[in-house]
């Protein structure tokens, strides 16, 4: 997916170089488009709830056609969703989806903001959503973003007037946005923010409506549109050779963990904006009509505009470097503008253009991908002037270090290489997604630093300041320190430079299940982030748990190496849930963090530090059968969860399935959304049903009725229709409908106690209809709703059992929920229950 970005560096000049990506090279067309954007002083903010909610067609149109300063405010980071490309869930999924949003913005030209709201999973009503979120804090964050970004126009993705018709997060995003529109300009609301920003009143608020919100295209066609702007976003950009819709499709395709890879589209396409607040523009498609978006908007701006408008009108595509004197003159005039908001935005944009027209390449790379507090690295500086402009590198400055005078004339196409030793301060912040630094809860992340709130990611660990003179005029350019390397199968790769603890610790399993009172060996992996470390590990325990030794030593010679430290952990004699935490004692400090790395081609590599802990559970559980076959779906950890309680789990390659190839398994489990993502299953379903008919036990976990790659017609041996039914309250009431069915009696007696302590939700995408051969086992319901009976269905077929379940075992088992383990074990034991009769 990195190729997407390489393609678009030839198309779109981003207003901010993202430090973790390959540096872009800018053509004359790119520079000209950046100059057009420089000459537009207007901003638009798009507001919704999740990653993938944004309308990339409209964001791209606002950024690339209108040239507006455009941003997307996603209230959450998508932490509560599913992951189609890997194992990351919850907070790690939030990190992944954050970076996917940033990848999308690098393509469509927008910026990205967030609130502190935690995506706790599907919500059916905004009342439920705002009970879990801290409404006041989320509203505060939205107002903070409005006051700091200062949009002229706000566009809501969802309708604030239709609670209960869509995801509660969706409606909440619109409701809060409407409130914030009125409150952001009033100093009485959140006055503490005004120590760092100022009030701001946007001019217009729109709702980005469509036929979907009207129920059908016919109803929308006949609707009154007198209060709507109609904008054709299918425009074609000759300078880039692409249409707006093509750019938008590539941007939305960055949401790979949600399966949003899509074909590019072209041609006319209308977007409809219903005015909610403010004055209706007189021009049908001009969102900014009546708003001053010229340089005359700011005091002193006319002098800047006189230079830059002339430059735009007479741009030299053949040799943009001829414009350097004008750009420097504009820079000098711009520095004197009193409006710090527009001054800061436009100085950054102008400095990027100055670098581009002069062909100046500046880069600071670290000798290693990471270092530690108190460590030292080598910084390699590369400076290259690829024009005949008069440029001098006056000095280089780094954090907590005196400026280093260089006074190097950068001659045309002569590369200057400089190496500098950089000590890392003992007080340097550890690199981590800032919203994960404090303990969070179900609804909110905790962020103490007001300046970080709203930001998409943690600022670069180290910035390098380059003081330059262009034709004798001083300009400071700031570049983040990065790590650059190559791989034979991928070529050149950039990633962020990180500051890490000297060592981190991790468990292989995040949940360790004790099915009986026998002790288990617990392996702790200690990883070194510097050479030559020596210390000890202590295991912190809960009440009733015992360990063979209070602490154990470790010694690691080389950075990057790991050592396994083993403890023998004994559980209580009765059921218990607790946590164990490894504490590393090293150089007089204690560390109890685990390093998790998220590494995909379409995003920069992420280093995430989480609390190093594992949940330990002493179960009262009986299991029958042993050998389980597992067909992976859209990524889950159930196989390792089953191994925890002693099952022999084999991963089945769907391509290997043949007649009679499955008979040796006591049960076969199909992973979540397998029929949505594993195309091979369309050819293998008949063999799975044959396995059941011959006495097997097949368990199929939830799928969605849309986005499937395998037909749902033969999903079950009898008629079964999937729906969007779900129970979002993980504490909802549950009724056992068939109390005599073996699935709730053998080998474990399932009671109401087994439905306590569930996480995030009961289940999702339950079947809505099924034939009489199926027995519904459970009934459950959300508040003020009718009971749903499709969460767990069992049907005898031939000599075996077919089980379909929408219960969220993919969340419950990795979370160590005891009752979920007991119920899943009963599902796996159906074949043995039948054979004992």
């Amino acid at each position: 997916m990195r190729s997407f970005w390489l393609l678009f560096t030839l198309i779109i000049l981003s207003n901010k170089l993202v430090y973790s990506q390959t540096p872009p090279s800018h053509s004359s067309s790119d520079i000209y488009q950046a100059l057009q954007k420089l000459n537009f002083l207007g901003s638009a903010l798009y507001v919704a709830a999740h990653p993938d909610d944004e309308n990339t067609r409209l964001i791209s149109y606002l950024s690339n056609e209108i040239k507006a300063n455009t941003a997307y405010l996603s209230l959450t980071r998508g932490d509560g969703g599913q992951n189609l490309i890997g194992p990351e869930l919850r907070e790690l999924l939030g990190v992944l989806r954050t970076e996917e949003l940033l990848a999308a913005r690098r393509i469509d030209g927008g910026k990205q903001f967030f609130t502190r709201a935690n995506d706790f999973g599907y919500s059916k009503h905004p009342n439920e959503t705002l009970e879990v979120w801290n409404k006041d804090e989320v509203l505060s964050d939205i107002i903070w973003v409005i006051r700091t970004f200062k949009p002229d126009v706000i566009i809501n993705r969802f309708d604030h007037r239709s609670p209960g018709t869509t995801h509660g997060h969706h409606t909440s995003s619109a409701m809060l946005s409407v409130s914030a529109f009125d409150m952001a300009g009033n100093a009485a609301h959140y006055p503490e923010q005004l120590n760092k920003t100022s009030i701001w009143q946007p001019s217009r608020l729109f709702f980005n409506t469509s036929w979907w919100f009207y129920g059908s295209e016919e109803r929308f066609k006949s609707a009154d549109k007198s209060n709507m702007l109609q904008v054709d976003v299918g425009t074609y950009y000759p300078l880039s050779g692409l249409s707006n819709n093509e750019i938008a499709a590539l941007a939305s395709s960055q949401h790979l963990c949600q399966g949003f890879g899509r074909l590019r589209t072209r041609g006319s396409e209308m977007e409809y904006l219903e005015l909610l607040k403010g004055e209706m523009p007189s021009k049908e498609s001009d969102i900014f009509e009546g708003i001053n978006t010229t340089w005359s908007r700011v005091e002193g701006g006319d002098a800047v505009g006189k230079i830059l408008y002339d430059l735009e009108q007479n741009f030299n595509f053949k040799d943009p470097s001829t414009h350097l004197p004008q750009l420097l003159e504009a820079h000098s005039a711009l520095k004197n503008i009193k409006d710090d908001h527009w001054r800061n935005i436009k100085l950054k944009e102008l400095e990027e253009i100055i670098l581009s027209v002069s062909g100046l390449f500046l880069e600071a790379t670290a000798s290693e991908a990471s270092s530690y507090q108190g460590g030292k690295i080598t910084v390699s500086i590369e400076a290259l002037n690829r024009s005949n402009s008069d440029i001098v590198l006056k000095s280089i400055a780094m954090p907590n270090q005196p400026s280093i005078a260089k006074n190097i004339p950068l001659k045309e196409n002569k590369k200057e290489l400089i190496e500098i030793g950089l000590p890392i301060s003992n007080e340097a912040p550890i690199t981590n997604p800032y919203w994960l630094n404090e303990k969070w809860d179900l609804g909110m992340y905790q962020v103490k630093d007001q300046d970080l709130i709203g930001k998409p990611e943690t600022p670069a660990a180290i910035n390098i300041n380059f003081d330059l003179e262009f034709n004798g005029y001083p300009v400071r350019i700031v570049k983040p320190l990065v790590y650059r390397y190559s791989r034979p199968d991928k070529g050149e790769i950039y990633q962020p430079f990180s500051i890490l603890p000297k060592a981190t610790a991790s468990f292989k399993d995040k949940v360790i299940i004790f099915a009986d009172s026998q002790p288990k060996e617990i392996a702790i992996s200690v990883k070194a982030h510097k050479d030559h470390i020596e210390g000890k590990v202590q295991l912190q325990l809960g009440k009733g748990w015992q360990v063979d030794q209070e602490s154990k030593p470790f010694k690691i010679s080389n950075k990057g190496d790991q050592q396994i430290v083993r403890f023998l952990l004994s559980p209580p004699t009765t059921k218990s849930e607790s946590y164990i935490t490894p504490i590393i004692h090293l150089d007089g400090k204690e560390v109890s963090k685990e390093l998790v790395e998220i590494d995909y081609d379409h995003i920069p590599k992420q280093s995430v530090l989480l609390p190093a802990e594992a949940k330990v559970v002493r179960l009262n559980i009986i299991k029958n059968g042993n050998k389980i076959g597992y067909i992976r779906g859209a990524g889950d950890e159930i196989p390792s969860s089953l191994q925890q309680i002693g099952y022999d789990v084999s991963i089945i390659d769907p391509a290997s399935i043949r007649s009679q190839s499955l008979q040796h398994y006591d049960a076969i489990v199909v992973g979540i959304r397998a029929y949505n993502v594993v195309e091979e299953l369309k050819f293998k379903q008949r063999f799975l049903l044959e396995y059941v008919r011959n006495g097997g036990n097949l368990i199929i976990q939830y799928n969605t009725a849309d986005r499937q790659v395998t037909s749902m017609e033969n999903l079950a041996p009898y008629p079964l229709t999937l729906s969007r039914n779900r129970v979002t309250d993980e504490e909802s009431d549950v009724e056992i409908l068939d109390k005599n069915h073996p699935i709730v009696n053998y080998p474990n007696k399932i009671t109401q106690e087994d439905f306590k302590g569930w996480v995030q939700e009961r289940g999702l995408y339950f079947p809505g209809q099924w034939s009489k051969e199926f027995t519904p086992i459970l009934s459950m319901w959300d508040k003020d709703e009718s009971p749903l009976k499709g969460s767990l269905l069992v049907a005898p077929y031939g000599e075996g059992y077919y089980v379909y379940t929408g219960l969220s075992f993919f969340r419950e088992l990795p979370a160590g929920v005891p009752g979920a383990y007991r119920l899943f074990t009963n599902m796996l034991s159906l074949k043995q229950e039948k054979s004992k009769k």
Side-chain angles (χ1 to χ4, degrees):
M1 292 303 120
R2 189 179 297 275
S3 60
F4 284 166
W5 173 237
L6 293 175
L7 168 66
F8 270 84
T9 58
L10 302 176
I11 299 170
I12 300 171
L13 176 60
S14 175
N15 55 19
K16 180 180 179 183
L17 174 62
V18 179
Y19 69 84
S20 53
Q21 295 295 304
T22 302
S25 55
H26 299 130
S27 68
S28 294
S29 294
D30 299 328
I31 298 170
Y32 179 70
Q33 291 177 84
L35 183 59
Q36 290 179 308
K37 198 174 186 73
L38 181 64
N39 281 334
F40 189 93
L41 278 70
S43 299
L45 181 66
Y46 199 87
V47 180
H50 309 108
D52 85 357
D53 284 345
E54 82 274 29
N55 185 338
T56 54
R57 294 185 301 273
L58 195 53
I59 290 174
S60 178
Y61 177 85
L62 290 166
S63 179
N64 299 306
E65 172 65 13
I66 294 181
K67 309 300 181 184
N69 185 31
T70 307
Y72 173 43
L73 170 58
S74 176
L75 267 58
T76 76
R77 298 175 185 268
D79 330 70
Q82 287 86 53
N83 185 355
L84 295 183
I85 63 174
E88 295 85 6
L89 291 174
R90 291 303 314 156
E91 62 276 357
L92 293 176
L93 181 60
V95 175
L96 172 56
R97 290 190 173 182
T98 293
E99 293 302 320
E100 289 187 336
L101 272 174
L102 289 171
R105 298 295 81 78
R106 287 192 286 272
I107 291 173
D108 61 32
K111 296 177 180 177
Q112 185 63 51
F113 297 109
F114 294 95
T115 75
R116 289 170 289 175
N118 191 345
D119 178 0
F120 57 85
Y122 192 86
S123 170
K124 293 181 177 179
H125 198 280
N127 290 347
E128 177 193 2
T129 298
L130 298 176
E131 285 178 3
V132 179
W133 289 349
N134 184 317
K135 179 181 177 181
D136 183 69
E137 289 184 357
V138 179
L139 183 58
S140 167
D141 292 355
I142 297 172
I143 290 173
W144 170 256
V145 170
I146 292 174
R147 287 174 172 174
T148 54
F149 184 65
K150 302 190 184 307
D152 301 295
V153 174
I154 296 177
I155 303 171
N156 289 346
R157 184 68 180 110
F158 299 104
D159 189 355
H160 66 289
R161 300 159 296 192
S162 54
T165 61
T166 182
H167 197 320
H169 296 182
H170 293 169
T171 311
S172 295
S173 72
M175 293 168 61
L176 293 173
S177 177
V178 170
S179 297
F181 181 90
D182 294 327
M183 298 168 67
N186 188 336
H189 298 293
Y190 304 102
E192 68 280 358
Q193 295 182 359
L194 303 181
N195 294 323
K196 293 178 174 289
T197 188
S198 58
I199 60 172
W200 180 254
Q201 181 56 58
S203 297
R204 296 186 180 110
L205 176 65
F206 292 102
F207 161 42
N208 183 194
T209 190
S210 69
W211 69 263
W212 189 88
F213 293 96
Y214 283 74
S216 71
E217 294 189 42
E218 291 299 319
R219 293 178 64 182
F220 183 62
K221 187 176 181 181
S222 62
D224 178 12
K225 298 183 179 63
S226 60
N227 200 38
M228 294 183 195
L229 289 186
Q230 301 181 43
V231 182
D232 188 347
V233 297
T235 187
Y236 175 71
Y237 304 124
L239 287 174
S240 62
L242 287 175
S243 70
N244 187 73
N245 288 341
E246 288 177 285
I247 294 172
L250 287 170
S252 62
S253 290
Q254 300 307 299
H255 296 298
L256 294 182
C257 74
Q258 301 186 70
F260 265 55
R262 59 186 57 183
L263 293 172
R264 288 183 283 177
T265 60
R266 300 157 192 86
S268 177
E269 185 161 356
M270 300 303 296
E271 289 290 341
Y272 297 86
L273 301 175
E274 178 188 350
L275 184 70
L276 300 178
K277 291 180 180 289
E279 185 178 345
M280 186 70 176
S282 59
K283 297 179 182 178
E284 184 173 302
S285 61
D286 189 351
I287 296 173
F288 286 90
E289 192 266 329
I291 299 171
N292 187 357
T293 59
T294 71
W295 278 105
S296 65
R297 175 175 191 158
V298 295
E299 183 181 349
D302 285 332
V304 180
K306 183 178 179 181
I307 301 167
L308 295 178
Y309 289 138
D310 179 71
L311 197 157
E312 182 181 342
Q313 287 295 319
N314 300 284
F315 186 75
N316 187 340
F317 281 88
K318 186 175 181 179
D319 185 8
S321 67
T322 61
H323 297 305
L324 182 58
Q326 292 164 279
L327 292 167
L328 296 174
E329 183 184 358
H331 192 279
S332 178
L334 181 54
K335 286 198 300 185
N336 294 321
I337 286 179
K338 294 180 180 179
D339 186 325
D340 58 352
H341 173 72
W342 283 113
R343 183 183 67 242
N344 293 337
I345 291 173
K346 294 304 177 180
L347 277 174
K348 289 180 181 178
E349 293 180 9
L350 182 52
E351 287 162 3
E352 284 290 336
I353 295 174
I354 289 171
L355 286 178
S356 297
V357 301
S358 63
L360 180 60
F361 181 84
L362 289 176
E363 185 173 82
T365 57
S367 54
E368 302 176 82
S370 68
S371 188
Y372 54 92
Q373 294 169 321
K376 187 175 183 179
I377 58 169
T378 299
V379 176
S380 297
I381 304 292
E382 180 178 344
L384 176 62
N385 175 12
R386 292 172 288 188
S387 71
N388 59 8
S389 302
D390 178 13
I391 306 175
V392 178
L393 176 57
K394 298 293 291 182
S395 63
I396 301 170
M398 293 176 284
N400 303 311
Q401 299 297 311
S403 180
I404 303 170
K406 289 297 178 182
N407 294 309
I408 301 173
L410 300 179
K411 298 179 180 179
E412 184 175 1
N413 221 30
K414 181 183 177 184
K415 181 163 53 179
E416 296 290 342
L417 298 175
I418 305 166
E419 285 197 350
I420 303 171
L422 175 62
I424 307 296
S425 167
N426 285 313
E427 306 304 320
I430 296 295
T431 304
N432 200 39
Y434 70 86
W435 61 98
L436 300 180
N437 284 335
E438 302 289 336
K439 187 175 179 59
W440 57 91
D441 58 35
L442 179 64
M444 298 295 295
Y445 289 107
Q446 306 303 317
V447 180
K448 296 179 180 179
D449 186 346
Q450 181 68 49
D451 290 328
L452 288 175
I453 291 174
K455 291 185 182 297
E457 59 184 351
T458 303
I462 294 175
N463 283 311
I464 311 296
N465 296 328
F466 295 87
D467 287 313
L468 301 124
E469 283 187 354
F470 295 81
N471 297 345
Y473 177 79
V475 177
R476 168 168 284 189
I477 301 296
V478 181
K479 291 284 184 179
L481 183 65
V482 297
Y483 177 63
R484 181 177 65 139
Y485 66 103
S486 67
R487 279 178 44 181
D489 59 335
K490 293 183 182 293
E492 184 179 63
I493 299 174
Y494 282 76
Q495 72 180 60
F497 172 78
S498 300
I499 299 175
L500 302 175
K502 293 178 181 178
T504 52
S506 62
F507 296 103
K508 177 185 176 183
D509 298 303
K510 299 301 179 191
V511 175
I512 304 170
I513 306 295
F514 290 76
D516 53 35
S517 59
Q518 293 301 308
K520 281 189 177 185
E521 186 177 75
I522 306 299
I524 300 171
S525 178
V526 180
K527 185 173 184 177
H529 302 295
K530 69 179 291 283
D531 291 334
H532 308 299
I533 64 171
E534 185 173 357
K536 64 180 181 179
V537 179
Q538 174 188 352
L539 197 58
Q540 185 172 292
L541 307 168
K543 184 178 180 180
W545 296 80
Q546 297 181 342
V547 71
D548 61 329
Q549 196 170 322
E550 182 179 351
S551 65
K552 296 190 177 183
F554 67 87
K555 184 176 182 179
I556 305 175
S557 298
N558 299 315
K559 177 179 179 179
D561 285 353
Q562 300 185 59
Q563 181 178 331
I564 304 299
V565 179
R566 303 179 189 277
F567 290 87
L568 194 65
L569 181 64
S570 299
T573 56
T574 58
K575 68 177 183 177
S576 172
E577 296 179 58
S578 187
Y579 287 88
I580 55 175
T581 301
I583 300 176
I584 298 174
H585 296 268
L586 179 63
D587 296 339
K589 293 186 177 181
E590 294 183 356
V591 179
S592 56
K593 293 290 186 181
E594 172 191 9
L595 174 65
V596 181
E597 294 179 330
I598 302 175
D599 194 7
Y600 295 97
D601 286 348
H602 65 303
I603 65 167
K605 185 176 181 179
Q606 299 296 299
S607 297
V608 184
L609 291 166
L610 297 175
E613 63 181 16
K615 184 177 182 180
V616 288
V617 181
R618 168 68 168 94
L619 283 180
N620 290 326
I621 191 170
I622 305 169
K623 73 179 189 68
N624 280 301
N626 180 53
K627 194 164 183 59
I628 309 299
Y630 200 92
I631 300 173
R632 288 196 181 279
D636 64 60
E637 300 177 20
I638 286 182
S640 59
S641 297
L642 298 180
Q643 289 170 341
Q644 284 277 339
I645 54 174
Y647 282 106
D648 178 5
V649 182
S650 300
I651 302 301
I652 299 175
D653 178 1
S656 69
I657 296 175
R658 300 286 187 275
S659 180
Q660 303 299 314
S661 68
L662 307 174
Q663 299 307 313
H664 61 291
Y665 291 111
D666 295 318
I668 293 174
V669 182
V670 182
I672 60 172
R673 298 180 70 172
Y675 294 89
N676 297 124
V677 298
V678 183
E679 190 169 2
E680 186 73 23
L681 283 177
K682 72 170 66 172
F683 309 110
K684 304 299 181 178
Q685 184 66 7
R686 63 189 179 95
F687 296 126
L688 291 174
L689 295 180
E690 177 185 277
Y691 161 78
V692 179
R693 190 171 59 246
N694 292 335
N697 182 22
L698 177 65
I699 299 165
I700 296 181
Q701 298 178 85
Y702 95 92
N703 291 269
T704 64
D706 57 353
R707 300 185 193 174
Q708 68 267 25
V709 296
T710 299
S711 172
M712 296 295 175
E713 292 180 4
N714 300 315
L715 182 66
Y718 310 111
L720 180 73
T721 303
L722 302 184
S723 74
R724 299 184 66 84
N725 291 342
R726 63 202 300 160
V727 175
T728 61
D729 182 2
E730 61 273 11
E731 297 179 354
S732 69
D733 291 335
V734 176
E735 179 185 355
I736 299 175
L737 297 173
D738 189 344
K739 294 181 173 58
N740 296 319
H741 198 283
I743 206 168
V744 291
N745 288 283
Y746 179 83
N748 303 286
K749 179 69 173 178
I750 303 301
T751 68
Q752 290 296 324
E753 188 71 20
D754 291 299
F755 296 100
K756 293 181 179 178
W758 285 47
V759 299
Q760 187 160 329
E761 61 197 347
R762 289 292 190 199
L764 63 171
Y765 296 105
F766 299 162
Q769 295 178 318
W770 52 87
S771 68
K772 60 182 178 58
E773 286 83 2
F774 285 99
T775 299
I777 304 300
L778 304 174
S779 174
M780 55 188 66
W781 56 94
D782 280 323
K783 183 180 179 181
D784 299 327
E785 292 191 358
S786 300
L788 298 175
K789 299 180 180 181
S791 64
L792 180 57
L793 302 174
V794 184
Y797 179 59
E799 298 299 317
Y801 281 108
Y802 175 98
V803 179
Y804 190 93
T805 180
L807 294 171
S808 58
F809 288 109
F810 72 102
R811 297 192 189 281
E812 312 309 321
L813 298 193
V817 177
Y821 270 93
R822 286 163 49 84
L823 181 54
F824 206 93
T825 297
N826 282 16
M827 291 160 55
L828 295 172
S829 303
L830 281 173
K831 181 177 179 180
Q832 283 66 43
E833 188 278 338
K834 193 166 190 176
S835 65
K836 76 182 180 66
K837 291 183 179 179

